[in-house]
Amino acid sequence: MKNEMAKWWDDGKFGLFIHWGLYSLLGGEYKGRKTDNIAEWIMHDLDIAPEEYRQLASSFNPTVFDAEAIVRLAKQAGMKYVVLTSKHHEGFALYDSQASSYTSVQATPYGKDVVAQLQKACEKYGLVFGLYYSQAQDWDDPNACRDGFSEEGRDFSSYLTKKCIPQITELLTGYGPIGLLWLDTPMYMTYEQSRTLHTLIKKLQPNCLISGRIGHGLGDYMTTGDNFIPALPYPRPFEVPATINSTWGYNRSDTGWKSASKILRSLVKVVSRGGNYLLNIGPRGDGSVPEQSISVLKEVGLFMEKNGESIYGTRALPLYPYDIGWGYFTSKKGKLYIHVFEDKTEAYLLNIANKPLRCYRLSDGLPLTLKERTTCEGDSSWLIKLPPREAGVIDEVICVEIEGDDVVFEPIKG
Ligand code: GLC
């Protein structure tokens, strides 16, 4: 039995992922060697021994980290939840743990609990607080999983009982309600082991959602591959984790920043196929957020401020029979939103069966003319006149109120 999806998640659609840890100090480079993989994997990919890697903790003193500023940024971008890496594969935890002293509180000059700071900030600004926890891989623990290595010679269940279960218990008992526990890379965890975590999480916090990467189909929703958007509407709740550049953890050489329009179009596609979009930032080791991430999120926020209605609370649409290229749809009860990606003078659409009742520009309610006609081939058609686009506007959204709750696309007749 699947857990009922929480309304905040179902309706919220858009969240902020934060990848932060000791790897953030390195920015993708260690002792003159650069990683060519995602930056938070540097310990693994450059094969840095745990005893050596651990020494990084003595440089972790993020004086400019500002949990409230990060949460305000998420809110400004129109995001409804935040997910922080409480412990990534490197094994270092960003909170006060009794199960291991390898934490931001015990092992660093900083000495503070990052999870607690972010939890408080989320509470203050009304965002749901979620945590990422790497339940299977822990490169600091010789008994945990490590990509590229088999389970031979490892006692995974000892890692599970001595570190993973106690730490998850701490996270779910010490920081108030946790909206979501984002588990990752289950690797060779058995069904029983994943089940044990599932039972524990739901026992401690029945309302805490669990990501698909708990493994064995036990998640409350499906998690896609990183940056992978399903090509079709998907019948179950799902979430797409996505980067703003090409890495999760901070990498100073990664300049592949996505534009706000690219991000927004991905968000629209994800939402229209029934999913949520979890977009990442990778703060630097000193706690600052790369400026490019800040500016992109602010730009996304300008769109969301005016057009958020076309994202929040929407549900998957059936597959539209044409690839129109210039736009995309989202929808909720009795409304069809047409996202117009190009600066056009009119939007012409075929095969929408619903009767249009009212048509307007979503950002300001400006009424628009919609002409309905049956084509010579017998298909229904809508012709909507579009006003000139104002400078700086990325995408315009047209709202069409329709007869009937759900959008119905007709099959192509010709
Ligand atoms: C991957 C990676 C990881 C990243 C995650 C985000 O599975 O192992 O580094 O945290 O995806 O989706």
Side-chain angles (χ1 to χ4, degrees):
M1 251 299 270
K2 292 278 159 225
N3 202 34
E4 269 289 290
M5 286 311 288
K7 196 167 160 50
W8 69 262
W9 193 91
D10 247 354
D11 288 351
K13 296 288 168 197
F14 194 24
L16 180 72
F17 217 169
I18 307 172
H19 273 69
W20 202 37
L22 295 181
Y23 47 82
S24 314
L25 292 162
L26 301 178
E29 197 174 329
Y30 184 68
K31 295 194 173 163
R33 288 191 299 154
K34 282 190 181 179
T35 175
D36 53 7
N37 189 17
I38 39 184
E40 70 283 3
W41 275 65
I42 193 163
M43 175 182 178
H44 175 275
D45 296 334
L46 299 188
D47 206 14
I48 308 171
E51 317 75 61
E52 192 180 333
Y53 190 84
R54 273 178 167 248
Q55 290 171 21
L56 288 172
S58 61
S59 320
F60 189 79
N61 194 11
T63 45
V64 296
F65 174 70
D66 184 345
E68 288 202 3
I70 291 181
V71 173
R72 276 197 305 271
L73 177 66
K75 195 168 176 135
Q76 202 181 343
M79 292 160 156
K80 301 292 187 189
Y81 59 107
V82 170
V83 180
L84 167 75
T85 51
S86 62
K87 185 206 77 168
H88 203 268
H89 309 330
E90 64 179 0
F92 172 78
L94 288 175
Y95 65 100
D96 193 8
S97 170
Q98 300 316 306
S100 154
S101 58
Y102 190 32
T103 74
S104 61
V105 179
Q106 289 112 312
T108 75
Y110 184 55
K112 289 187 193 158
D113 187 320
V114 176
V115 169
Q117 293 178 61
L118 214 68
Q119 184 275 328
K120 276 201 196 80
C122 283
E123 197 175 288
K124 176 166 174 182
Y125 291 102
L127 266 68
V128 175
F129 183 54
L131 290 167
Y132 170 108
Y133 186 86
S134 176
Q135 82 280 25
Q137 293 201 78
D138 188 313
W139 304 324
D140 188 65
D141 189 316
N143 287 318
C145 302
R146 185 181 173 94
D147 180 49
F149 293 81
S150 74
E151 43 196 308
E152 225 169 282
R154 291 167 197 270
D155 180 1
F156 186 75
S157 61
S158 124
Y159 155 75
L160 203 61
T161 47
K162 291 195 188 126
K163 187 167 182 185
C164 175
I165 290 177
Q167 286 203 325
I168 288 183
T169 306
E170 288 170 338
L171 289 170
L172 295 178
T173 50
Y175 301 91
I178 301 299
L180 158 63
L181 197 62
W182 217 96
L183 302 178
D184 196 14
T185 66
M187 292 188 58
Y188 49 72
M189 281 182 73
T190 62
Y191 174 81
E192 285 69 31
Q193 288 165 337
S194 299
R195 186 85 235 171
T196 301
L197 292 187
H198 186 275
T199 308
L200 173 75
I201 297 163
K202 296 294 179 186
K203 185 184 94 195
L204 295 174
Q205 292 213 22
N207 295 327
C208 176
L209 299 176
I210 304 174
S211 71
R213 293 194 193 162
I214 185 174
H216 302 284
L218 290 170
D220 288 305
Y221 62 84
M222 182 273 274
T223 306
T224 67
D226 299 344
N227 288 306
F228 272 80
I229 300 177
L232 299 172
Y234 192 77
R236 273 186 57 201
F238 72 92
E239 182 180 59
V240 175
T243 49
I244 294 193
N245 48 356
S246 356
T247 179
W248 305 90
Y250 173 63
N251 185 337
R252 71 174 61 83
S253 324
D254 184 352
T255 53
W257 300 101
K258 294 173 189 161
S259 64
S261 66
K262 190 161 182 186
I263 286 166
L264 279 172
R265 285 162 202 186
S266 295
L267 171 68
V268 167
K269 280 188 187 171
V270 170
V271 160
S272 94
R273 291 167 195 170
N276 281 21
Y277 195 56
L278 184 62
L279 185 63
N280 181 70
I281 56 167
R284 298 186 184 94
D286 66 0
S288 60
V289 178
E291 295 64 36
Q292 295 88 339
S293 303
I294 297 179
S295 60
V296 162
L297 289 176
K298 285 188 173 164
E299 221 179 322
V300 165
L302 292 177
F303 171 90
M304 295 297 283
E305 201 186 344
K306 295 197 163 153
N307 300 292
E309 188 199 304
S310 66
I311 303 289
Y312 308 126
T314 58
R315 295 292 178 262
L317 278 146
L319 189 65
Y320 185 59
Y322 285 106
D323 179 0
I324 51 175
W326 53 261
Y328 225 79
F329 303 109
T330 56
S331 164
K332 63 174 66 137
K333 202 174 168 194
K335 283 180 176 173
L336 175 67
Y337 302 100
I338 308 162
H339 294 252
V340 185
F341 298 159
E342 288 172 15
D343 190 1
K344 294 159 65 69
T345 53
E346 51 188 40
Y348 182 57
L349 291 162
L350 296 174
N351 299 78
I352 301 170
N354 308 72
K355 186 174 172 41
L357 303 174
R358 211 160 80 83
C359 178
Y360 52 92
R361 182 163 69 183
L362 185 61
S363 58
D364 60 359
L366 179 78
L368 302 175
T369 314
L370 186 159
K371 283 198 183 122
E372 266 187 287
R373 194 179 86 87
T374 303
T375 67
C376 302
E377 291 75 33
D379 292 312
S380 61
S381 81
W382 292 1
L383 180 67
I384 304 168
K385 290 277 171 216
L386 302 176
R389 188 165 289 200
E390 279 157 34
V393 169
I394 300 180
D395 292 331
E396 207 65 88
V397 184
I398 309 305
C399 177
V400 186
E401 294 181 1
I402 51 171
E403 211 168 75
D405 288 349
D406 301 320
V407 175
V408 179
F409 295 133
E410 293 168 342
I412 303 166
K413 297 210 177 61

